[in-house]
Amino acid sequence: MRPTSSISPRTRPTFAEAFDPKNNAFGFLRLFLAVLVVFSHSFPVGGFGIDALEALTKGRHTIGLVAVGMFFVLSGFLITRSAASGVSVARFLWHRFLRIFPGYWVCLVVCGFVFAPYFAYVEYGSFLRIFSAPSTSPQAYILHNGALFHSNGFTLLGVLNVSPQSIAGLLSRNPFPYQINGSLWTLPFEVACYLGVAALALCGIIRRARLCVAGMFGVLLFLHAYSYFWPRSFSQTFACPGLSIFLPLGLCFSVGSVCFLYREKIPSSFWAFAACVGALVASLPLGWFGVAAPIFLSYAFLWLAFNLPFSSFDAKGDYSYGTYIYAFPVQQTLALSGVQEDGWIAYFAWSLVIIGALAYLSYRLVEAPCLRWKNLNARELFARGISRSSPPSIVEAAAVISVPAKL
């Protein structure tokens, strides 16, 4: 049980009092959200139509998109906490790099040299021809997407869009054609938010001028509401393709940031949680869900993160990232193989089994080993190499690396 002696019985607890860095359900919720993305994608990718939320909102929202938004909320809270902890900006960026890029790069290689050849063999009876595709070969897919960011134009989509998204025209007969890994599109936006936090930390805003972050949240909320209710006028006013895609994600991330920075002023109450859920449900028939969700659902998810009894859920590993990045190609593979013909339940169940296996391998073989370099003391390692006039050995490198905590 959490200590409550410091909380007056007449005082409503706040987020600051409810949040325990060592006793929370963030790990459980991350995996839950990743599974929700798998659930949502199973409908269009498997050829089963649309999910329930997409039907209720007439195509404007899906369960998967909402889950991604909540990913950004949780990430905004924890990333801002990391930046405000006093760690240097360079180490902050190093931690973020280790969390995203190694697993991402291996996923690109697996998509290009495992999934794509299998797709080609099933569709064409040969896997060699795809490697000679001029600009959409597996090697082009890996190299062009390796940096996450691009220079295909001075717009958000030109910089943050996954490109190429397909390999050699594969999956043309799938219910969701051509897309090799449709889940990766959110990663450039997430890394852009990380870089934004790093810039704010470098300027001292995170620790000494949190009102500026609240102001940014207000601007993002205004722009998102404008884009949501008056999309045609917004596109004419802001001729920047991709801005309307970034706004809800950036808004969700900023909600998490503001909730951390003002955690001592935000009440943590079950009744506030219930009111947010009620407001969210009420927004559906009113057509306000897209604007209500980043506020009310964000509060609800953070309240759950502080109060659900799953504090040791990810003690043996965080498999949410691997679940997310491997979900789409696995579901495309099952669709190409005709598994959906056995019905949605079989298709979804097989998806979870195979994705879970790949997520386990991703964490154990790639993510966790790379995270051991989190606390690398580069200066000490460099000094040892200089003193010996030769590079330090792997054993010596390991000696200046401590076992990492969660990023």
Side-chain angles (χ1 to χ4, degrees), residues 160-173:
L160 301 178
N161 194 32
V162 174
S163 178
Q165 299 180 6
S166 63
I167 294 178
L170 296 171
L171 303 174
S172 60
R173 297 190 294 271

Side-chain angles (χ1 to χ4, degrees), residues 85-103:
S85 66
V87 66
S88 69
V89 173
R91 187 158 292 276
F92 169 83
L93 293 174
W94 174 242
H95 292 176
R96 306 283 70 77
F97 173 84
L98 290 176
R99 191 68 184 92
I100 294 292
F101 278 92

Side-chain angles (χ1 to χ4, degrees), residues 42-49 171-178 331-332 334-336 340 347:
S42 66
F43 291 94
V45 178
F48 297 100
L171 303 174
S172 60
R173 297 190 294 271
N174 272 33
F176 201 99
Y178 302 114
Q331 292 191 299
Q332 286 284 48
L334 294 176
L336 182 65
Q340 73 276 16
Y347 177 78

Side-chain angles (χ1 to χ4, degrees), residues 2 18 33 35 51 56 153 160 190 213 217 226 285 304 346 348:
R2 295 174 182 166
L33 292 171
V35 172
D51 66 40
L56 283 173
L160 301 178
E190 185 171 2
V213 180
F217 157 74
Y226 183 16
L304 289 173
F348 181 59

Side-chain angles (χ1 to χ4, degrees), residues 74-312:
L74 301 183
S75 182
F77 187 93
L78 294 175
I79 296 302
T80 303
R81 173 178 178 265
S82 176
S85 66
V87 66
S88 69
V89 173
R91 187 158 292 276
F92 169 83
L93 293 174
W94 174 242
H95 292 176
R96 306 283 70 77
F97 173 84
L98 290 176
R99 191 68 184 92
I100 294 292
F101 278 92
Y104 171 70
W105 284 335
V106 172
C107 181
L108 287 180
V109 172
V110 171
C111 287
F113 293 124
V114 178
F115 284 109
Y118 174 76
F119 298 157
Y121 182 79
V122 173
E123 290 189 272
Y124 305 131
S126 171
F127 61 85
L128 294 177
R129 58 184 291 184
I130 63 173
F131 292 96
S132 60
S135 59
T136 59
S137 63
Q139 56 270 31
Y141 177 83
I142 296 168
L143 292 174
H144 292 171
N145 290 309
L148 275 180
F149 302 107
H150 302 81
S151 56
N152 300 319
F154 295 102
T155 66
L156 285 178
L157 284 183
V159 175
L160 301 178
N161 194 32
V162 174
S163 178
Q165 299 180 6
S166 63
I167 294 178
L170 296 171
L171 303 174
S172 60
R173 297 190 294 271
N174 272 33
F176 201 99
Y178 302 114
Q179 286 271 0
I180 296 295
N181 195 338
S183 296
L184 300 182
W185 73 271
T186 65
L187 296 185
F189 291 90
E190 185 171 2
V191 172
C193 290
Y194 294 171
L195 294 176
V197 170
L200 294 176
L202 186 64
C203 297
I205 292 175
I206 292 291
R207 302 186 69 183
R208 294 189 293 272
R210 63 181 183 176
L211 186 61
C212 292
V213 180
M216 293 177 188
F217 157 74
V219 171
L220 288 172
L221 178 59
F222 169 78
L223 291 175
H224 173 58
Y226 183 16
S227 172
Y228 188 82
F229 291 119
W230 301 281
R232 181 175 298 179
S233 175
F234 180 86
S235 63
Q236 293 173 349
T237 305
F238 301 96
C240 178
L243 182 59
S244 60
I245 299 174
F246 173 77
L247 284 174
L249 300 179
L251 175 61
C252 287
F253 192 92
S254 71
V255 169
S257 296
V258 169
C259 284
F260 174 78
L261 294 175
Y262 287 88
R263 60 196 180 281
E264 78 283 355
K265 297 182 180 297
I266 302 174
S268 179
S269 163
F270 171 78
W271 297 111
F273 165 80
C276 285
V277 173
L280 197 66
V281 173
S283 72
L284 283 169
L286 296 174
W288 297 352
F289 181 83
V291 175
I295 308 301
F296 298 117
L297 190 57
S298 297
Y299 179 95
F301 256 84
L302 286 173
W303 186 88
L304 289 173
F306 304 151
N307 290 279
L308 286 177
F310 299 115
S311 59
S312 59

